[in-house]
Amino acid sequence: MEISIIALPLLASIISGFFGKFIGDRNSEIVTSFLVSISAIISAAVLYEVIVNQYQDNIVIAKWISSGSLEVNWSMKIDPLSSVMLVVVTSISSLVHIYSIGYMSHDPHKPRFMAYLSLFTFAMLMLVTSDNFIQLFFGWEGVGLCSYFLIGFWFKRDRANAAAIKAFLVNRVGDFGFALGIFLIFYLFGSVNYSEVFELIPTIVDKNLNFLGINIDAIDLICLLLFVGAMGKSAQILLHTWLPDAMEGPTPVSALIHAATMVTAGVFLVVRCSPIYEYSELALNIITIVGMSTAFFAATVALVQTDIKKIIAYSTCSQLGYMFFATGVGAYNVAMFHLFTHAFFKALLFLGSGSVIHAFKDEQDINKMGGVWKKLPYTYTLMIIGTLALTGFPFLSGFYSKDAIIEFAYLRGNTTGYYAAGVGIITALITAIYSWRLIFKTFHGEYNNKDIKIDETHESPLVMLIPLVLLSIGAIFAGYAFKELFLGYEGIINFWQGSIFFLEPLSTEHPPFWFLILTPILVTLSIPLAYYLFVKNKNLPKKIVNVNKPLHQFLLNKWYFDELYDYLFVTPSKKIGLFLWKFFDIKIIDGLGPDGISSLIKKCSLKANKFQSGYIYQYAFVMLLGFSALLTFLIVK
């Protein structure tokens, strides 16, 4: 039964991809949605077995590689960590499949789109159920490839193609570090299987390696190389630039890949490798710093964006930062809790934004919206729920998971932990402001679209609204329903046993009362503040921008990371490529190779052609030359 969780999405992809033309668009949509939904139901049953009966298993599907000491299987590892990821991936994917039936109704290539979605789901499932680093890398590259397909799905758009290539190339940078980490693991342990590697980690605690002329602890180096891969996939600062551009793909792609599943692969990797990271204080501190820096950076940029999907994309980037600094302070279970709840409310916000875009006939600029909350009552209500959950409003899912991250960072008790907690609180306030800015500018105030009459806007069909309603249930109740399982002391001991390793037990103390209520108070106060700024007194934000133009430009240009990378890498690469092409390729390789030889032959042919004059004396002269050459050759020989 467990293997069918993986097999059904693969089967759906094959049917829709290879036979979509024969079975038709609607049948492709139904088949893929049905098979992935069955996979989601089975995943929920497996999670239930894991919770209630502590079920764990490692199902070997097939032998894969057997060479010397390298033994690798195609396997399906069932444990608490993978069972949680199975539910997240399949449930969100099934709802996105169903939603896509309505959203992509006017697209002429629906079977191809549904095939890509199902293939992505299969690759992600292979990633989270692997019991070794090679299978993990297979799934890792698989989701990267499918991401390229889906971001560039509308390949006739230059921006979509550019975004797909950018995502692919930036992820290759991270994947290179990840591959080096896997090579190093095999070099040190002679194995890539989790169980064998994790068991041998304590034996190399004091081992040093020389890497790029620097002596570094072996465990630190492994952790840092693996984290480089996680940074690329989960869009952490420095390797984050691909994520906002990836919004060029269809909105269901944004919800599936860039909110709930693929971008969480990096967090999953760090949590899965907790038996390694627990021995590396250096790596954990770096992860904490990178995570909180990403959270703050992305939140500040989201404050000034006007594209509805890019605002939510930067929000995703920021929330991933929270998850990483949770792992950095050793609260792996809390990171997984936020990953779990975030999947519901962020997919809800993305699909809700898709409903808005659908109503406005593909318009994505929130400055060209407004005043439509009565025209889109269901979308409005559901996006309010998603926004409340995202901002951590009391008693919704984000409240339990995000506040827990800030609390555990505070309880870490060191400088990095206190710093992370402070940045986490400030970022929570900024998150609330930009999230309510999106809601108020999209649904309230005056109607600002000059191209579409307000009467032409309409609510989305049921096939799009039903997935939103189901996601809203998760956004409301997932935090409360699972907080004891994910966070409770007994839950940590019983539920996570065997899948997350804690070198030292997590603190069971509670922060001061003032600290506990600080974030909820700030988040609650942000609602009237945002309403005043973006509905009641619209001129005040403009005045603030005019006073702080350099800062506004700095944020509007996303801290100039794209411009910096263009200056450091893109422009020099183009110049080097142009030089190599014109000098080495054209002048040397082509000039001395095929072009040079063909030119020489042509010249010789033209010269030889002059002897074909029809005069006997010229033919006799050529024959005499040939005979002389032959005679000379025979004498010399």
Side-chain angles (χ1 to χ4, degrees), residues 109-391:
H109 305 292
K110 289 184 277 290
R112 179 165 62 90
F113 182 75
M114 303 304 284
Y116 287 165
L117 287 182
S118 299
L119 183 63
F120 169 85
T121 306
F122 162 74
M124 191 68 194
L125 292 173
M126 292 300 296
L127 188 159
V128 301
T129 57
S130 62
D131 75 339
N132 61 80
F133 286 99
I134 303 298
Q135 184 181 330
L136 173 71
F137 193 71
F138 169 82
W140 193 273
E141 294 302 302
V143 293
L145 177 65
C146 293
S147 176
Y148 172 79
F149 290 153
L150 287 164
I151 295 168
F153 179 75
W154 287 322
F155 57 86
K156 293 183 180 180
R157 301 180 182 180
D158 291 339
R159 291 176 61 182
N161 286 327
I165 293 170
K166 186 176 183 180
F168 196 77
L169 291 177
V170 173
N171 273 275
R172 295 292 69 73
V173 176
D175 293 352
F176 179 67
F178 185 31
L180 289 179
I182 296 174
F183 295 153
L184 182 58
I185 286 171
F186 181 70
Y187 170 74
L188 291 172
F189 304 110
S191 174
V192 291
N193 296 313
Y194 295 153
S195 57
E196 297 171 12
V197 172
F198 296 160
E199 186 178 346
L200 293 171
I201 285 295
T203 64
I204 64 162
V205 169
D206 299 320
K207 185 177 179 63
N208 288 323
L209 294 171
N210 187 287
F211 182 71
L212 300 177
I214 302 170
N215 283 324
I216 186 171
D217 186 89
I219 293 181
D220 289 342
L221 184 56
I222 291 172
C223 292
L224 292 175
L225 289 173
L226 294 179
F227 181 59
V228 170
M231 285 177 64
K233 198 65 72 183
S234 293
Q236 293 302 282
I237 194 166
L238 300 181
L239 294 179
H240 67 280
T241 53
W242 66 272
L243 184 62
D245 290 10
M247 297 304 105
E248 292 297 329
T251 299
V253 174
S254 305
L256 178 64
I257 298 181
H258 310 296
T261 54
M262 181 181 120
V263 292
T264 61
V267 180
F268 169 80
L269 172 65
V270 175
V271 175
R272 173 61 82 192
C273 294
S274 58
I276 307 177
Y277 280 94
E278 280 292 273
Y279 288 96
S280 177
E281 190 70 25
L282 172 65
L284 290 177
N285 286 331
I286 289 175
I287 291 172
T288 306
I289 294 169
V290 170
M292 62 187 169
S293 301
T294 305
F296 178 75
F297 151 75
T300 59
V301 174
L303 275 173
V304 299
Q305 296 299 308
T306 57
D307 186 308
I308 187 171
K309 285 171 66 177
K310 285 194 175 182
I311 295 171
I312 304 173
Y314 277 108
S315 172
T316 298
C317 201
S318 182
Q319 296 306 305
L320 288 165
Y322 273 102
M323 296 176 207
F324 272 109
F325 82 68
T327 62
V329 299
Y332 305 100
N333 58 308
V334 186
M336 287 304 300
F337 187 32
H338 194 50
L339 186 156
F340 181 74
T341 59
H342 173 263
F344 293 102
F345 58 72
K346 188 51 63 68
L348 173 60
L349 285 171
F350 262 120
L351 296 184
S353 71
S355 184
V356 173
I357 294 167
H358 188 73
F360 278 91
K361 298 180 180 178
D362 298 329
E363 179 57 65
Q364 295 184 196
D365 189 344
I366 59 174
N367 290 325
K368 296 181 180 179
M369 300 178 185
V372 293
W373 68 275
K374 290 183 179 179
K375 295 290 292 182
L376 310 174
Y378 301 115
T379 299
Y380 171 68
T381 303
L382 293 166
M383 285 199 71
I384 287 285
I385 293 171
T387 300
L388 289 169
L390 168 65
T391 58

